[in-house]
């Protein structure tokens, strides 16, 4: 569920081209540090979970972030 | 004086882009300005403020116009980028016509990203540091409009912010003229932008008694030079002009709207907010602009006035216009329609002046009925647009701090 949410967000708001492999890190997907900071703030605003800077770094993969959101009990807004 | 341009390379306006309270593009804005339709209306953003109406940009959809990247921009940058894109499309360079390394961007603003700071201050108060958006600084800083235009359009010449309060847009044009004459750029996108319609800003200007309090008649509130004027109306928006040397425009077959013939600036060194009572600084700027263009006051066929609808400012400017240009030179202030677009005002008004020269039409001063309250009898165009042959025109801008900036435009 969170993988689909994140890949959609990355495709639309962050313009990551093509199909997104969730096993890839943000560095491999060319998501820069400013975008990552913005993404962290967005997740806090929208999903109501705290994501620390070390949990969302260039080497974090999309799947790892999705797991973390799930573990924190994030809720995707309707 | 040695004739128009004083023998230096002539600079022309080959593209215009605008987002104004009168319309989200140049054609719509020009049409509304010529029709004299005031944009002022009650503004839901100002609910509860002592002055709750504005001249708002209402027809602009940032995401539709600029895409998802718009979320990373304060509205003052969104307006500037939309205007810059329209101006470049209008100038229509073919691939290879412009060397991006030689294209500059000069965009002025009086206040920059205040709305972003206000929003983040609210979040900081509620949630502490973690509530503050990481994009706050790059959204709000004063240079970010020209920087974003350079980034998004791919221009690698100088990108400069200009701040002379409500003269900023005109100052940007003057400095762009210098860059082109000095051959430091081949093309400059020059203009101004502003987006600070908020309860705080309304309250702050109202505390200076600068705003019209005509709450029962917002459409009649901005009435430059009129006897019953009582203050300005907050406006917003952006305007960007593409400036290049005549030879380059001609080489690529682009017919310009107008030539930018001269620029003059001065400081009042008199008062923080009030104009010099005899308009000494404004006179100096006008004289310098005319000298720069190699023209006499008697050559000027049209004055696009700064007149914001304040009791004192309009009276000082009108007296100066009467003295320098005589009572029979047509004068207009588009602020009756657009309100005061502040840092964007000078650029929008220079753009309207270029269109006046190109089309041979002076737009009316909306809401003007009769002179008075210190405004002498001058030829304020009102009631409808006026056809006129306009070889040369001036556009005035004045800003808090005593900044005076004037551009001279003429037929190319």
């Amino acid at each position: 569920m969170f993988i689909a949410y994140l890949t959609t967000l990355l495709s639309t708001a962050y313009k990551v081209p093509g199909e997104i492999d969730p096993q890839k890190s943000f560095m491999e997907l060319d998501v820069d540090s400013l975008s990552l900071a913005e993404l962290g703030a967005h997740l806090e605003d929208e999903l109501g979970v705290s994501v620390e800077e070390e949990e969302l770094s260039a080497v974090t993969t999309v799947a790892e972030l999705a797991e973390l959101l799930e573990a924190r009990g994030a809720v995707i807004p309707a | 004086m040695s004739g128009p341009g004083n023998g230096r390379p002539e600079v022309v306006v080959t593209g215009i882009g605008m987002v104004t309270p009168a319309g989200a593009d140049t054609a719509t804005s020009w049409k509304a300005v010529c029709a004299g339709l005031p944009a002022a209306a009650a503004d839901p953003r100002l609910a509860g403020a002592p002055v709750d109406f504005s001249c708002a940009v209402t027809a602009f959809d940032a995401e539709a116009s600029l895409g998802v990247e718009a979320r990373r921009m304060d509205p003052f940058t969104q307006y500037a980028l939309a205007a810059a894109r329209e101006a470049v499309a209008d100038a229509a360079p073919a691939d290879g016509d412009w060397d991006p390394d030689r294209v500059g961007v000069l965009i002025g603003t009086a206040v920059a990203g205040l709305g972003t700071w206000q929003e983040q201050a609210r979040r900081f108060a509620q949630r502490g540091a973690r509530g503050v958006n990481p994009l706050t600084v790059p959204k709000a800083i004063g240079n970010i409009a020209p920087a974003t235009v350079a980034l998004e359009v791919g221009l690698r010449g100088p990108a400069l912010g200009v701040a002379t309060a409500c003269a900023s847009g005109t100052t940007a044009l003057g400095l762009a003229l210098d860059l082109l004459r000095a051959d430091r750029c081949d093309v400059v996108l020059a203009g101004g932008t502003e987006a600070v319609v908020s309860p705080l800003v309304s309250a702050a200007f109202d505390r200076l008694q600068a705003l019209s309090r005509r709450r029962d008649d917002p459409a009649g509130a901005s009435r430059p030079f009129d006897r019953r004027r009582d203050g300005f109306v907050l406006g917003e928006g952006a305007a960007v002009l593409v400036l290049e040397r005549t030879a380059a425009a001609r080489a690529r077959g682009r017919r310009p709207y107008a030539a930018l013939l001269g620029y003059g600036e001065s400081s009042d060194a008199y008062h923080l907010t009030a104009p010099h009572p005899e308009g000494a600084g404004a006179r100096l700027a006008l004289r310098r602009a005319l000298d720069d263009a190699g023209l006499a006051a008697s050559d000027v066929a049209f004055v696009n006035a700064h007149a914001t609808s304040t009791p004192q400012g309009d009276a000082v400017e009108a007296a100066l216009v009467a003295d320098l240009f005589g009572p029979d030179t047509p004068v207009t202030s588009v602020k009756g329609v657009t309100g005061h677009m502040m840092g964007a005002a000078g650029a929008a008004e220079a753009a309207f002046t270029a269109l006046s020269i190109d089309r041979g039409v002076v737009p009316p001063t909306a809401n003007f009925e009769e002179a008075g309250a210190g405004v002498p009898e001058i030829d304020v165009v009102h009631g409808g647009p006026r056809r006129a042959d306009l070889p040369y025109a001036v556009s005035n801008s004045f800003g808090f701090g005593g900044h005076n900036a004037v551009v001279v435009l003429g037929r190319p």
Side-chain angles (χ1 to χ4, degrees):
Chain A
M1 175 172 70
F2 290 105
I3 285 181
Y5 174 80
L6 289 172
T7 52
T8 303
L9 190 61
L10 290 167
S11 299
T12 53
Y14 297 91
K15 293 185 171 171
V16 177
E19 199 167 322
I20 295 171
D21 177 358
Q23 300 308 322
K24 282 194 170 167
S25 70
F26 289 106
M27 192 194 306
E28 289 170 308
L29 294 170
D30 276 335
V31 179
D32 63 23
S33 60
L34 181 66
S35 296
L36 278 184
E38 191 190 9
L39 176 62
H42 174 87
L43 295 175
E44 262 187 70
D45 281 355
E46 292 294 312
L47 310 185
V49 294
S50 263
V51 182
E52 300 302 324
E53 279 166 37
E54 56 272 23
E55 294 170 327
L56 178 50
S57 74
V59 294
T60 309
T61 66
V62 176
E64 284 166 353
L65 179 60
E67 260 176 56
L68 188 129
L69 294 175
E70 184 131 25
R72 299 255 157 97
V75 178
I76 295 172
Chain B
M1 281 186 290
S2 63
N6 280 332
R8 290 162 304 192
E10 189 182 75
V11 169
V12 286
V13 180
T14 58
I16 296 174
M18 281 192 216
V19 176
T20 78
D25 57 42
T26 303
T28 314
S29 298
W30 172 246
K31 200 174 161 191
V33 160
C34 286
L37 299 169
D43 188 331
R45 294 173 296 178
L46 299 179
V51 174
D52 58 2
F53 58 93
S54 76
C55 287
V57 167
T58 53
F60 177 70
D61 181 334
E63 194 166 322
S65 171
L66 305 171
V68 292
E69 292 298 311
R71 75 175 188 281
R72 290 186 153 184
M73 302 168 202
D74 185 277
F76 88 102
T77 299
Q78 294 172 349
Y79 296 158
L81 181 58
R85 285 200 191 284
E86 188 195 0
V88 171
D90 187 33
D95 279 350
D97 275 350
W98 293 354
D99 173 359
D101 292 0
R102 298 271 302 163
V103 183
V105 186
L106 268 69
I107 296 179
T109 178
V111 188
L114 181 72
T116 293
W117 286 120
Q118 278 185 259
E119 165 69 11
Q120 298 306 318
R122 195 158 43 234
R123 291 170 62 102
F124 186 63
Q126 285 168 353
R127 293 170 50 190
R130 283 201 72 100
V132 177
N133 192 293
L135 286 165
T136 303
V137 172
K139 273 176 87 165
I141 50 181
N143 62 303
I144 207 66
T148 301
V149 170
L151 178 70
E152 294 289 329
V153 184
L155 307 172
R156 293 185 294 268
L160 305 172
V162 177
T164 52
C166 297
S168 298
T170 302
T171 304
L173 292 170
L175 297 179
L177 182 60
D178 287 346
L179 287 177
L180 289 161
R181 282 172 172 170
D183 198 25
R184 290 178 59 194
C185 290
D186 293 337
V187 180
V188 180
L189 276 53
T193 187
E194 206 72 66
V196 289
V197 178
S198 77
L200 175 64
V201 172
S202 174
F205 277 113
D206 188 57
R207 296 282 287 164
L208 284 168
Q209 300 181 16
L211 296 181
S212 168
R213 291 178 175 165
R214 203 179 273 257
R215 294 177 63 158
D216 55 345
D217 176 27
S222 185
R223 42 196 318 115
F225 296 126
D226 184 72
R227 184 173 62 84
R228 291 179 298 154
R229 68 194 182 276
D230 73 327
F232 77 82
V233 177
L234 273 179
E236 59 183 343
V240 172
L241 292 80
V242 174
L243 303 174
E244 53 189 316
R245 286 182 290 274
T246 302
R250 193 172 290 148
R252 65 187 186 83
R254 181 71 177 91
R255 194 183 74 87
Y257 292 101
L260 179 56
L261 296 169
Y263 171 64
E265 60 196 325
S266 72
S267 301
D268 276 355
Y270 169 75
H271 189 274
L272 199 54
T273 56
H276 186 280
E278 279 91 48
R283 179 188 297 268
L284 186 59
L286 266 160
R287 280 267 169 236
R288 284 175 172 160
L290 291 170
D291 285 351
D292 190 43
L295 294 172
S298 56
D299 294 322
V300 172
F302 165 46
V303 177
N304 189 308
H306 178 70
T308 63
S309 184
T310 60
Q312 198 183 358
D314 290 16
V316 171
E317 186 177 13
L320 179 61
V321 165
D323 188 44
L324 265 181
F325 301 106
D328 300 324
T329 301
V331 181
T332 208
S333 167
V334 299
K335 290 186 180 81
V337 172
T338 62
H340 192 355
M341 294 165 64
M342 300 176 57
E349 289 158 21
F352 287 132
T353 305
L355 290 169
S356 281
I357 290 168
D358 183 56
R359 315 269 159 91
V361 173
V362 177
T365 302
N367 290 316
F368 177 87
E369 289 170 12
E370 56 178 329
V375 169
E377 288 295 336
I378 52 173
D379 183 14
V380 178
V381 177
H382 65 287
R386 186 190 297 175
R387 288 239 154 246
D389 182 42
L390 304 172
Y392 303 110
V394 298
S395 181
N396 297 337
S397 295
F398 313 123
F400 276 2
H403 303 282
N404 307 291
V406 177
V407 284
V408 181
L409 294 123
R411 268 202 300 260

